[in-house]
Structures are given as structure tokens and as C-alpha cells.
Amino acid sequence: MPNIRRFDTKQPDFWSELESLLSWEGVSDDKVNGIVRDILKAVRERGDAALVELTNRLDRMDVKSIRDLEIPRERLEQALAAISTEQRQALELSASRVRLYHEHQKGESWSYTEPDGTLLGQQISPLERAGLYVPGGKAAYPSSVLMNGIPAKVAGVGELIMVVPTPDGEINDLVLAAAAVVGVDRVFALGGAQAIAALAYGTETVPAVDKIVGPGNIFVATAKGMVYGTVGIDMIAGPSEILVICDGETDPDWIAMDLFSQAEHDEDAQSILVCPDGAFLDRVGEAIARLLPTMERAEIIRTSLEARGAFIQVKDMDEAVDVANFIAPEHLELSVADPEAMAPRIRHAGAIFMGRYTAEALGDYCAGPNHVLPTSRTARFSSPLGVYDFQKRSSLLMFSPEGASEMGKIASTFARGEGLTAHARSAEYRIKKH
Amino acid sequence: MPNIRRFDTKQPDFWSELESLLSWEGVSDDKVNGIVRDILKAVRERGDAALVELTNRLDRMDVKSIRDLEIPRERLEQALAAISTEQRQALELSASRVRLYHEHQKGESWSYTEPDGTLLGQQISPLERAGLYVPGGKAAYPSSVLMNGIPAKVAGVGELIMVVPTPDGEINDLVLAAAAVVGVDRVFALGGAQAIAALAYGTETVPAVDKIVGPGNIFVATAKGMVYGTVGIDMIAGPSEILVICDGETDPDWIAMDLFSQAEHDEDAQSILVCPDGAFLDRVGEAIARLLPTMERAEIIRTSLEARGAFIQVKDMDEAVDVANFIAPEHLELSVADPEAMAPRIRHAGAIFMGRYTAEALGDYCAGPNHVLPTSRTARFSSPLGVYDFQKRSSLLMFSPEGASEMGKIASTFARGEGLTAHARSAEYRIKKH
């Protein structure tokens, strides 16, 4: 069986060992930075012409004009017609569940009026235009189109622009079909840093957006980091992780497969199992040894489990909760008898999968909640992608003459205390003269 | 009078001229980056000892131990007792108004149960620990302590740690008094990149926080950018800006002073006035010429108005709204007869000050809404600082056996389409066998 590290919270050095196990530093590579900076500059300065050149070179395409890189709406509908009925139904069911769930996240404007007539509140409005990056080639995930696109549409974003590279002209019908189901407004066959540059700065043909979301490789992530400020971006994700807390009563095969489902993403993915029962950990170990050879992606799973996986034996379930709160995992499975009693004690997690039936894989596709979740312990301060990421707020203030007069006195005191006389005098003009 | 640029939307190059006027690139300086990187490394590796060394050197202090850099709770209470009654009342009134307003922003957990018993929702919880940076010396703003600290407290953040440099031992009683009013939990006399490092990584004495908020100089901003990911940060602000839309019926002196109140912040601040009435623009110009010599910070105001200020004459009020939406200003004053008709058409602004009585300065201190607002056109995609910045969400999923069986089939279809067999098999284990 794979050689998975085993910890016991009774070890004196347990918490520092755990911290080392979790530590992850994204690569910051001067060479990548240089390449990306050049690409951003080229697209910013030469627009469409640079996009055509870069796409022909980097994606081994041979197009004459940017017009050849726009994928028309009809092509998306064709793709939706071309996939199997089963696939189409899965896409549509998933989209409707994701839509329903995200409707709950829509923020509404609010205000209140004070006795003197002064109104205070917040006006909530959608972003005008959002960009959705979708990785290309064989790694293209239609579920990613749904999970990133639907919250934008629910928020009421005016125009949703999708970019997806088509290296060697290869295009994934499932991805285009998902774009049709989401109602993406325009799609361009662009990828890499050049696609991010086009969305951030705009070109003659590609409209500039206000925020860019979606996963990508190191060039895409680096480009997103560099254009942040000009546009909004979503979080730059680290490797995917799962933490399974089990009371020792779930079928060990189920737990083993749940750990595999995270590990198969890539070699850096992290699968951790926490349990108070050492004998159960042994049984999961046996299940892993038995099941691993039957897996298509066995080598990726083995590497991931050996490099970053762990079994942690805890004193009791209270300590399991402490471990979860320390890890702040992206995905947390509570494979226990009474998950509803445990969930309110979880302070940090991207998503909490409650009960033995709630496999993490169900959340990846069709449960409804978003699968874009904070990784690398950032669930301590960040949230799943949601409708709130595509809305923003403006404060509203409308003072009545009486309110302005009273508040003007206070503001004047503060402003003079801070040495800002223009602030003070601006407020004082609104004080009533008796 | 200062030489303020004047534009007319009838100019053929108006929109590109406007874009140039707005453009702002934050300085990215290799020397600053190098200094900050060294400071972060020192504090990360040597903790308290590095903090003491750096603070003695950079803030010209002479302390022996980190214990001398903690400002005890009693010192905050002393400061609150030491300031004038008027100042204390201003602080307390402002705090209570800010608290009341921000209570409206508190998010609540929600969930729904499907007919088959499956539960979906989001659990909202406060950050465990937040850090508040407050600039030191004479530029210390007590209002900044209220505006950054109160949303954290309303969110229910467990522990709020404030850092404020005390160069040469100089300390501002108003800032400490504001910290007492907010209920800050611990205060350290630390500043610069070393304070950010302490909050991000923690030391033997300073606890690591989950998010750092608050304004600071270029070293602080650079350090915040570098620790982002390890901890959350608020937006890194550009220069402050105001856009005033006036219908030509407000007292020109009021408008002139409102523009001054922004310009007096610093030379890079931006004050823009938009009006359809050219004669009114002339009258505001005259008011500026007359009032400027009476201002304490006249030189800063003049430089700011000449470098970045503008008068824009528009065709009509509809076009004024278009200009505002293009600029996406931090502060927007609607100094017009019917601001309630105009505000819903504003798509992008940090805060909207409605009506002739609602001077922007009132919002800086005591109106209730936050004065930490998106600058440099980022209101297109970001929001005022709020309670939502100190809360985060965890998705909740609990499948009933029936729900897991049905969803397992869909998930399996997706997962097999994406070539992720462990995902598929994990879902398939939960499908009922008949």
C-alpha cells in the first residue's frame, strides 16, 4: 500500500508537524513573471493583432483575424445538440440546482430613515461585465463553466465573456454545451496570459471586463495577479484538499474512495483522514491498498497520498474538531453519526459535507453549492465563490437639513482634531445659523 | 486662482482625455520591495527579537523587550479620560452611529431542506482574529480606528489586535481613546512592514491574525501585498477622490469647499466637478480663487487641484450620470434637486452623498457608513469596508440516502465525462442497490 504518514495528537510535536504537513508555497518564478509581463504589454499596446500572433504561436493555430477566434452562439448550441442525452440532462439538472442554491445568496439594497429625515443605506448592484477563464484541451471541465458562470448570471452581470484556449484547434463540446446552458454572452478561443490581458485591458474586439474568475495554469494565475487592481479577480487557488473526520463507523471502502477522489486531481492534492479509532485507520489503509490498483489514475493518487496525505489519530471527536479548525480545509467531510451537532463547531472550512452519504464528489457537480472554494487554509478568511462576488455595494447617505446641521457639529470637531480645516468648513456650511 | 483643467464632453477626444486624467499607477519600487522582504524575513525567523531591534532603529525608540511595546488597556482608558469632553462625546456618538449602520450588514447563516430530506445552505462565521493597522505620529486618525475596528466588532471577531507606530515615543491620545471606544483587545506600539509581519506570521508575543485592515504608507502597503494569502487583507487604496455632480443651483462656496476637503488630503488627491452649466463652473472657479488663500492647507489644495482636478461641462444631467459611471468615483456628491431619482442610475461609486446638505465630510466621521471606500475606479468591482469583510462562509451539504442515490447518478455521469474515476466511484458507492 502507499506509504501514508501517520500522526497521533499525543506526539509532543504534533501541532508543529501538522503545520509543516499543510505548508504550501506557490511558486514565484522570475522567468514566468517576465514572460507574462511581456504578453500583458503586447496585448495592452497592440490589441487584437497581438492576440492573433500569440494565439497562433502558443496554441499552434493558424488564424488570420481575431474574428476567427470568436466562437459564435450557434456553435455553442450545436455542441449542446451534439452531446449525449444523458450528458445534456446532467448539465441541465446541475445548472438548475446550482442556480436555485445561488439565488439564496443574492444581496438586496437596504436603507433606513432617521427621525430627522436623514436616509442611510447601501445600494447593491451587479458588475457590468465579467470574464470567465476556462482551461482548454483535455483538462476542460464543463462543471467549472457552470460553477463560475451561474453566480455571475444570478447576480445580474450585464455581459459574461468566456475565454477558452483551443490548442491545435481542439475544442471540448461539453465545455461549449455548458456555456450554452449558462447563457454565456460571448466566447473567444483565447487562453493563457494573453486571454487575461484581453479581458483586463480590452482590445478592439474583446471587451474589457470588471472582474475575471476561473482556474488556470501558472501563466494564467500570474497574469491574474498582475492585472489585479485594474480588474477584480477571484482567489488564486492552491492544490485541492480534503479532510475527512470519521467516527470509525463508515464503510472503510467509502472513506478510501473519498480520499482518492481528492488525490486523483494532481500530485500536489492533499487527502487527510482524522479518526479516534486506530484500528479503523488500519482498515482504511487496507482498503486503500486493495482499491488503489483498480484505479485509472493510480499513479497520481499514490504520489499524492505519499507526498501530502496523512492519517491522524485523535483522542476524541472534540479534538477532531480542533484539528479541522486548525487546518481550515477546502473540503471537510463529517462522516459521523450526528453531523448536525458537529457542523456548528466548525469555524473554518470551504464546504462541510455532512454525514456518511454526502461524498465530496457530489458537491463537485450537482448538489448546488459552488465547487470553487478557498484552499491552503484561506477558509480562515475567505468564502466559496458566490453571487456576492459579482455584486458590489455603494453607501447611500442623504442628510436632511436638520441632520446635516447636527452632524456638521460633530464632523467639525473631528476634522479640527485631525487638522483638516476644509473638511471642517465644508461641514460647518451646513450648520444652521440661528 | 489655481489652474484647473476644464473639459467639455463635446470635445471629440473627451473620453480618452478623461481616461488619462483618471489613470493612476501605484509605484512599484524594487528598493522598497527589497527592504520589505528583508523585514518580513527577519520577523518571521526571529520574532520578538527582530521586532524590538527594528522598532528601536526605525522608530527611534529605546526599548529592551517586546513587553515595553504592548500598550495596556489601562493606557487606552487613561487617554479616553484625558481628551476633552467635546472630543469624547464626538467619538462616542460617532461610534454608536457607525455601529448602528453596520449592524444592517451582518450576514446570517441560511439553509433549506429538499423534499427528500437533503439539506443545503451556508454557515456564516466571524474571523477568529483581525489586525488593525493605524498610521502613527501626527497623521494618526481616530476616525480610522472607528471605521476599521467597529465592523470587525459587529461581525463578532474574536480578538482585534491594533498596531500603531509611536515614532520617538510620540503617541496620539485621540487614537488610543478611539481604540478604547471600539473595544480593541490588544494594542502594540509597532508600525511599518515589521508590524504587518508580526500580524501575519505571529511572534512569541504578537498573535497571528487572519486578516489585516487599515491604511498605511508604501512600506505597509507593500508588506500587505506580500503577506496576502497567508492572511487576508483589505484593498490597497490609491489616492482619495471626489466627483461632484451639481445642477448649478448649490451655493458655489459650498461646492468649492467640498472640492477642497478632498484636495487637502494630499497632492495626489483628485477633485472633479461635473455640471451642465458653464456659468456655474465659472462661479465655482471664482469661489475657489477667493477661498483658497484662507485655507490652512492651501498649498496642498492648490497642487492637488492643478495636478489632478478638473471641471467637466456636460450636455445635460443624463450625461453627468454617464461620466460618473465611467469614473466609478470613491466619493460621489449628487448636489442636485432630486438626488433620489438620480442615485438608482449610478452603477459604480464607493459612496453616494445625496442632496446639497450631504457634504462628503459628514461621511468621513459620523454619518454611519464606512469611510474606507474603493478608489481608482475599483468601485466597478469592489465595495466599502463592511461587516462582510470580517465574516466568511462555509457551504453546508447533507444528503439524505435518497438524495445521495439520485445525485450520485448525475455526479457519476459528469465525473466519467471528465475522466475522474475516483470521483465517479465515490459517488456510485452511495447509489442504492435494488
Side-chain angles (χ1 to χ4, degrees):
Chain A
M1 79 159 265
N3 184 18
I4 302 177
R5 266 173 289 190
R6 194 147 166 175
F7 298 94
D8 191 307
T9 52
K10 289 202 291 282
Q11 295 168 234
D13 58 352
F14 169 73
W15 295 97
S16 66
E17 287 285 314
L18 179 58
E19 191 157 11
S20 309
L21 177 75
L22 301 173
S23 77
W24 178 264
E25 301 267 349
V27 278
S28 156
D29 180 323
D30 282 347
K31 196 174 156 212
V32 171
N33 287 337
I35 293 170
V36 170
R37 228 185 312 262
D38 289 346
I39 291 175
L40 296 184
K41 187 162 177 280
V43 175
R44 195 171 190 175
E45 289 175 357
R46 297 190 297 111
D48 287 345
L51 287 180
V52 168
E53 274 170 39
L54 286 161
T55 301
N56 281 339
R57 176 152 61 84
L58 298 171
D59 288 339
R60 299 165 303 279
M61 305 274 283
D62 183 24
V63 301
K64 298 282 168 291
S65 145
I66 186 81
R67 278 191 300 278
D68 304 326
L69 292 173
E70 181 155 8
I71 302 175
R73 180 79 205 177
E74 305 81 70
R75 179 67 188 84
L76 311 185
E77 296 294 343
Q78 274 171 25
L80 190 58
I83 61 176
S84 76
T85 307
E86 191 191 16
Q87 285 175 325
R88 180 179 176 140
Q89 284 171 348
L91 273 181
E92 284 174 349
L93 179 74
S94 174
S96 77
R97 291 185 61 89
V98 172
R99 211 172 279 128
L100 186 72
Y101 177 87
H102 284 78
E103 288 285 354
H104 287 85
Q105 294 177 336
K106 210 169 162 175
E108 299 294 340
S109 303
W110 54 268
S111 66
Y112 58 96
T113 305
E114 301 190 314
D116 67 14
T118 294
L119 176 145
L120 300 169
Q122 259 184 342
Q123 179 164 296
I124 302 190
S125 43
L127 305 196
E128 219 163 299
R129 236 188 243 125
L132 164 53
Y133 189 93
V134 178
K138 298 210 175 71
Y141 292 155
S143 56
S144 177
V145 178
L146 302 186
M147 293 294 184
N148 284 276
I150 290 173
K153 281 288 172 177
V154 171
V157 165
E159 196 176 15
L160 180 58
I161 316 284
M162 181 171 124
V163 290
V164 55
T166 56
D168 301 305
E170 187 178 354
I171 197 159
N172 182 326
D173 265 355
L174 276 170
V175 163
L176 296 187
V181 168
V182 167
V184 168
D185 295 285
R186 294 178 77 179
V187 181
F188 293 92
L190 293 167
Q194 58 275 22
I196 300 300
L199 292 173
Y201 306 125
T203 68
E204 302 90 315
T205 306
V206 183
V209 302
D210 300 306
K211 186 166 189 167
I212 303 173
V213 299
N217 64 17
I218 184 69
F219 293 96
V220 171
T222 304
K224 279 168 73 178
M226 287 184 185
V227 299
Y228 176 59
T230 301
V231 294
I233 59 168
D234 57 355
M235 265 243 150
I236 293 171
S240 196
E241 335 131 22
I242 193 170
L243 177 67
V244 179
I245 294 182
C246 186
D247 56 10
E249 302 294 329
T250 308
D251 185 330
D253 285 12
W254 291 22
I255 301 293
M257 198 58 73
D258 295 354
L259 297 171
F260 286 177
S261 76
Q262 203 54 227
E264 77 174 340
H265 275 295
D266 63 79
E267 288 83 352
D268 295 325
Q270 185 157 52
S271 302
I272 300 178
L273 172 61
V274 173
C275 181
D277 180 351
F280 182 77
L281 292 175
D282 295 338
R283 288 169 59 206
V284 175
E286 287 155 22
I288 285 175
R290 174 166 37 79
L291 292 168
L292 184 59
T294 72
M295 302 309 301
E296 285 183 45
R297 295 165 76 98
E299 271 320 296
I300 294 174
I301 295 172
R302 174 189 300 276
T303 307
S304 156
L305 290 179
E306 293 192 342
R308 306 204 68 222
F311 282 3
I312 300 174
Q313 188 172 346
V314 286
K315 202 170 68 210
D316 52 28
M317 294 307 272
D318 286 344
E319 201 174 51
V321 169
D322 293 343
V323 169
N325 282 328
F326 184 83
I327 294 178
E330 181 190 14
H331 303 101
L332 174 63
E333 269 189 29
L334 303 182
S335 200
V336 301
D338 188 1
E340 284 176 283
M342 190 177 267
R345 296 163 59 206
I346 300 299
R347 288 196 309 269
H348 317 295
I352 307 174
F353 299 82
M354 299 159 67
R356 310 189 202 285
Y357 284 93
T358 312
E360 187 272 314
L362 298 181
D364 282 346
Y365 300 110
C366 47
N370 212 286
H371 77 193
V372 181
L373 297 169
T375 59
S376 305
R377 307 184 71 192
T378 59
R380 291 178 295 118
F381 53 85
S382 30
S383 300
L385 188 73
V387 174
Y388 33 81
D389 290 301
F390 297 96
Q391 295 186 311
K392 75 274 188 326
R393 302 158 185 251
S394 302
S395 306
L396 294 177
L397 303 87
M398 187 168 69
F399 275 100
S400 66
E402 295 67 34
S405 184
E406 286 312 301
M407 279 305 117
K409 296 169 194 166
I410 311 289
S412 163
T413 300
F414 263 101
R416 292 192 180 273
E418 294 182 353
L420 296 174
T421 329
H423 283 67
R425 288 176 65 181
S426 164
E428 289 158 11
Y429 275 140
R430 276 81 175 183
I431 299 175
K432 288 191 174 174
K433 280 82 185 169
H434 294 287
Chain B
M1 81 157 264
N3 185 18
I4 302 177
R5 265 172 290 190
R6 196 149 165 173
F7 298 93
D8 192 308
T9 51
K10 288 201 291 283
Q11 295 167 233
D13 57 351
F14 169 72
W15 294 98
S16 66
E17 286 286 314
L18 180 58
E19 191 157 11
S20 309
L21 177 76
L22 301 174
S23 78
W24 179 264
E25 300 267 349
V27 279
S28 157
D29 180 323
D30 282 348
K31 195 175 156 209
V32 170
N33 287 339
I35 292 170
V36 170
R37 226 185 312 263
D38 288 347
I39 291 175
L40 295 185
K41 186 160 178 278
V43 175
R44 195 172 189 174
E45 288 177 358
R46 298 189 298 109
D48 287 345
L51 287 180
V52 168
E53 275 169 38
L54 288 160
T55 302
N56 281 340
R57 176 153 60 83
L58 299 171
D59 288 339
R60 299 166 303 280
M61 304 275 284
D62 182 25
V63 301
K64 299 280 168 291
S65 144
I66 185 80
R67 278 192 299 278
D68 303 326
L69 291 173
E70 180 155 9
I71 301 174
R73 181 80 206 178
E74 305 82 68
R75 180 68 188 82
L76 311 185
E77 296 295 343
Q78 273 172 24
L80 190 58
I83 60 175
S84 75
T85 307
E86 190 190 16
Q87 285 175 324
R88 180 179 177 140
Q89 285 172 347
L91 273 181
E92 284 174 348
L93 179 75
S94 174
S96 77
R97 290 185 62 89
V98 172
R99 211 172 278 128
L100 186 71
Y101 177 87
H102 284 79
E103 288 285 353
H104 287 85
Q105 295 176 336
K106 210 169 163 175
E108 299 294 341
S109 302
W110 53 269
S111 66
Y112 58 96
T113 305
E114 302 189 314
D116 68 14
T118 294
L119 176 145
L120 299 169
Q122 262 185 341
Q123 178 164 296
I124 303 191
S125 43
L127 305 195
E128 219 163 298
R129 236 188 243 127
L132 165 53
Y133 189 93
V134 178
K138 297 208 177 73
Y141 292 155
S143 56
S144 178
V145 178
L146 303 186
M147 292 295 184
N148 284 277
I150 289 173
K153 281 288 171 178
V154 170
V157 165
E159 196 175 15
L160 180 58
I161 317 283
M162 179 172 125
V163 291
V164 55
T166 58
D168 300 306
E170 187 179 354
I171 198 160
N172 182 327
D173 264 356
L174 277 170
V175 163
L176 296 187
V181 168
V182 167
V184 168
D185 295 286
R186 294 178 78 179
V187 180
F188 293 93
L190 293 168
Q194 58 276 21
I196 300 299
L199 292 172
Y201 307 124
T203 68
E204 303 90 315
T205 305
V206 183
V209 303
D210 301 305
K211 186 165 190 168
I212 303 173
V213 299
N217 63 19
I218 184 68
F219 293 96
V220 172
T222 304
K224 280 168 72 178
M226 287 184 186
V227 300
Y228 175 58
T230 302
V231 294
I233 60 167
D234 57 355
M235 266 241 148
I236 293 172
S240 196
E241 335 131 22
I242 192 170
L243 177 68
V244 179
I245 294 182
C246 186
D247 56 11
E249 301 294 329
T250 307
D251 185 329
D253 285 13
W254 291 23
I255 300 294
M257 198 59 73
D258 295 354
L259 297 171
F260 287 178
S261 76
Q262 204 55 226
E264 78 174 339
H265 276 294
D266 64 78
E267 288 83 352
D268 296 324
Q270 186 158 52
S271 300
I272 300 178
L273 171 60
V274 173
C275 181
D277 179 352
F280 182 77
L281 293 175
D282 295 337
R283 288 168 62 206
V284 174
E286 287 154 23
I288 287 176
R290 175 168 34 81
L291 292 168
L292 184 59
T294 73
M295 302 309 299
E296 285 183 45
R297 296 165 75 98
E299 271 321 296
I300 294 173
I301 295 172
R302 174 188 301 276
T303 308
S304 155
L305 290 179
E306 293 192 342
R308 305 204 68 223
F311 282 4
I312 300 174
Q313 188 173 344
V314 287
K315 201 169 68 208
D316 52 28
M317 295 307 272
D318 286 344
E319 201 175 53
V321 169
D322 293 343
V323 170
N325 283 329
F326 184 83
I327 294 179
E330 182 190 13
H331 304 100
L332 174 63
E333 270 188 30
L334 303 181
S335 200
V336 300
D338 188 1
E340 284 175 283
M342 191 177 267
R345 296 163 58 205
I346 300 298
R347 288 197 309 269
H348 317 295
I352 306 174
F353 299 82
M354 299 160 67
R356 309 189 203 284
Y357 284 93
T358 311
E360 188 272 313
L362 299 179
D364 283 346
Y365 300 111
C366 47
N370 211 288
H371 76 194
V372 181
L373 297 169
T375 59
S376 306
R377 308 184 71 193
T378 58
R380 292 177 295 118
F381 54 85
S382 31
S383 300
L385 187 73
V387 173
Y388 34 80
D389 290 302
F390 297 97
Q391 294 187 310
K392 75 276 190 322
R393 302 159 185 250
S394 302
S395 307
L396 295 177
L397 304 87
M398 187 169 69
F399 275 101
S400 66
E402 293 69 32
S405 184
E406 286 311 302
M407 281 304 116
K409 295 170 196 166
I410 311 289
S412 163
T413 299
F414 264 100
R416 292 191 181 274
E418 294 182 353
L420 296 174
T421 329
H423 283 67
R425 288 177 63 181
S426 164
E428 288 157 10
Y429 275 141
R430 275 81 174 183
I431 299 175
K432 286 192 177 176
K433 280 81 187 168
H434 294 287

